[in-house]
Amino acid sequence: LEKPIHLLLPTVHEKKDRHNTFVVECPASLYGLKEAGKVWFETFKKFMDDLGFRRSYHAMTLFQKGEVYLVLYVDDLLVASPNKMDLKNFEESLSKKFKVRLNSDLTKFVGFNIVQKKSSGLILDQSEYLKELREDYRIDREATRSYKTPLIEGYKPEEKSSSLGDPKPLQKIIGELTYLVNQTRPDIAVATNCMARRVNKPTKEIYRSSKRILAYAIGNPLELCYKPWNTGDKSWEINVYCDASFADEVDDQYKSTGGYLIYLNGSLINWKSGKMHWVAKSTTVAEYLAINLAVEQAMTHFYTIKEMYGKEAKVNIFTDSKGAKDIINGNKPGQATKYLMTKYHSILPRSSA
């Protein structure tokens, strides 16, 4: 610990004299302290530095040494290498420093179910987690099969729906849906974001719609497939797909919604759908802002690949907005976007669409 931390003793250890309060000094980090996460990461980083590993500047929990790659998620590690001897040496060093449980058969990691196949690569899903949610919310199995979309087409919340009262049930289900979206379910991202915007004004109709999204996710399983890739034989390619809906958030200054999908060598690695912080004055500007947000994220992957493998990936942008394409390619005057902040024009020197 960088600074001394003192803890109050539980009342059972105090003397009967209430005027005397006893404290103890904490000699090391304890689980639950605000500093615990920082102390743990610095301890682990120093260990990796001593072994000669290099931490990625763009992916802060990615470490690399030669052909050994490691990803840290709190206190869970995922280590991969084509060299079995290097992998064994690292495991021995890790076991000497920390109390670890090694598992060479990768079937689960931080809530994912993982299936490894030589032909198709890695397949990720969260079927077990969805099964737990179905039991928690008592969702009928037949009902889950009846939903073909997360929400009905053109969905708009009912303005006269009665209040839910206690917001905690809605907050809980929104949190669980958001976790699914962030991990393996891009197909419910738009619908979940629509519900999350109204979590501060909980109504029974919003809760029913959120439960429908969950039922859809349960009844329509989705797997993410990551294909094998020989880094030496082929060039790296990042495909970015962007879209936006203009001024669809009537209750919040007519803000627009933007989203993107990012594929690396044909496999989906990143996605997002969310309300824009900036008010767009036209459909073209809304599309342009969505592209900018997507490219900023894509460039993080671009620099990580360059840093780890020394290769520059080709970045392709796909959008259905001709106006946004013209702005990016310099074929349209900047009148439509001159009111935007400078940071939203960072895409211009980097890309073409």
Side-chain angles (χ1 to χ4, degrees):
L1 293 171
E2 296 179 356
K3 298 180 180 179
I5 294 179
H6 297 87
L7 306 175
L8 286 172
L9 287 173
T11 54
V12 293
H13 294 292
E14 291 185 3
K15 292 184 177 180
K16 293 182 179 180
D17 185 0
R18 296 183 179 179
H19 296 287
N20 294 324
T21 302
F22 295 90
V23 297
V24 294
E25 183 174 344
C26 186
S29 177
L30 294 175
Y31 183 82
L33 289 177
K34 291 181 179 179
E35 296 83 0
K38 182 175 182 289
V39 172
W40 157 241
F41 184 75
E42 289 179 347
T43 301
F44 185 79
K45 182 180 178 299
K46 184 179 184 305
F47 166 74
M48 297 298 285
D49 290 341
D50 293 340
L51 290 181
F53 277 79
R54 177 170 58 99
R55 190 187 70 170
S56 170
Y57 179 78
H58 301 279
M60 305 298 283
T61 58
L62 173 63
F63 297 82
Q64 180 242 348
K65 178 185 178 183
E67 293 183 309
V68 181
Y69 296 87
L70 179 144
V71 174
L72 173 69
Y73 186 87
V74 190
D75 58 353
D76 290 315
L77 306 179
L78 186 60
V79 189
S81 175
N83 191 315
K84 292 184 179 181
M85 185 58 66
D86 288 346
L87 198 59
K88 183 179 179 180
N89 292 337
F90 172 75
E91 290 175 351
E92 291 177 354
S93 300
L94 186 68
S95 300
K96 291 178 182 178
K97 178 67 175 178
F98 304 104
K99 184 179 179 180
V100 296
R101 183 177 61 186
L102 300 175
N103 184 7
S104 59
D105 186 16
L106 182 62
T107 57
K108 292 183 180 180
F109 184 72
V110 295
F112 294 107
N113 297 323
I114 303 175
V115 177
Q116 301 183 64
K117 295 182 179 180
K118 290 184 179 180
S119 58
S120 55
L122 291 178
I123 298 176
L124 308 183
D125 68 52
Q126 288 181 288
S127 55
E128 291 188 12
Y129 180 63
L130 284 169
K131 184 179 179 181
E132 294 175 4
L133 292 179
R134 182 175 67 83
E135 294 173 354
D136 290 345
Y137 288 93
R138 300 178 181 178
I139 298 177
D140 183 65
R141 188 184 297 272
E142 294 299 325
T144 63
R145 297 171 182 169
S146 63
Y147 299 123
K148 301 303 179 183
T149 58
L151 294 173
I152 61 174
E153 186 177 355
Y155 170 82
K156 290 185 179 180
E158 298 177 6
E159 297 181 359
K160 298 181 180 180
S161 178
S162 57
S163 174
L164 187 62
D166 185 6
K168 291 183 179 179
L170 179 60
Q171 293 170 352
K172 182 174 182 292
I173 193 172
I174 291 296
E176 288 161 339
L177 287 172
T178 302
Y179 174 70
L180 284 169
V181 168
N182 293 338
Q183 303 302 317
T184 61
R185 297 303 298 256
D187 57 329
I188 61 171
V190 176
T192 300
N193 182 261
C194 180
M195 299 297 103
R197 297 177 188 181
R198 293 159 178 84
V199 73
N200 293 326
K201 297 179 181 179
T203 64
K204 293 181 179 179
E205 191 269 334
I206 294 295
Y207 182 76
R208 286 194 302 269
S209 298
S210 300
K211 203 168 179 181
R212 173 195 163 117
I213 298 172
L214 179 58
Y216 164 83
I218 295 170
N220 297 268
L222 180 69
E223 296 178 337
L224 297 182
C225 180
Y226 296 91
K227 304 173 184 177
W229 187 262
N230 191 328
T231 58
D233 295 343
K234 299 180 181 180
S235 60
W236 295 77
E237 189 172 55
I238 299 174
N239 289 333
V240 184
Y241 298 86
C242 316
D243 201 3
S245 59
F246 172 61
D248 61 336
E249 192 56 44
V250 179
D251 297 334
D252 191 3
Q253 301 177 357
Y254 289 91
K255 290 182 178 178
S256 303
T257 298
Y260 59 79
L261 298 170
I262 299 178
Y263 287 80
L264 174 61
N265 299 335
S267 297
L268 182 62
I269 61 169
N270 205 189
W271 56 87
K272 185 176 182 179
S273 173
K275 181 173 62 176
M276 296 180 180
H277 299 294
W278 194 274
V279 178
K281 295 184 178 180
S282 67
T283 302
T284 294
V285 173
E287 298 276 1
Y288 178 72
L289 291 174
I291 294 171
N292 189 282
L293 180 66
V295 169
E296 286 294 325
Q297 186 61 46
M299 294 310 294
T300 300
H301 302 301
F302 173 88
Y303 289 121
T304 301
I305 295 168
K306 186 176 181 180
E307 183 182 27
M308 293 288 109
Y309 295 98
K311 302 285 184 70
E312 290 194 2
K314 181 182 179 182
V315 180
N316 304 310
I317 304 172
F318 297 89
T319 177
D320 59 356
S321 173
K322 183 179 182 303
K325 287 182 182 179
D326 290 339
I327 295 173
I328 295 170
N329 296 328
N331 299 328
K332 189 173 183 177
Q335 296 297 320
T337 59
K338 65 179 182 180
Y339 69 92
L340 295 177
M341 295 173 63
T342 305
K343 67 177 182 179
Y344 291 110
H345 296 297
S346 60
I347 183 180
L348 293 177
R350 296 180 179 178
S351 310
S352 62

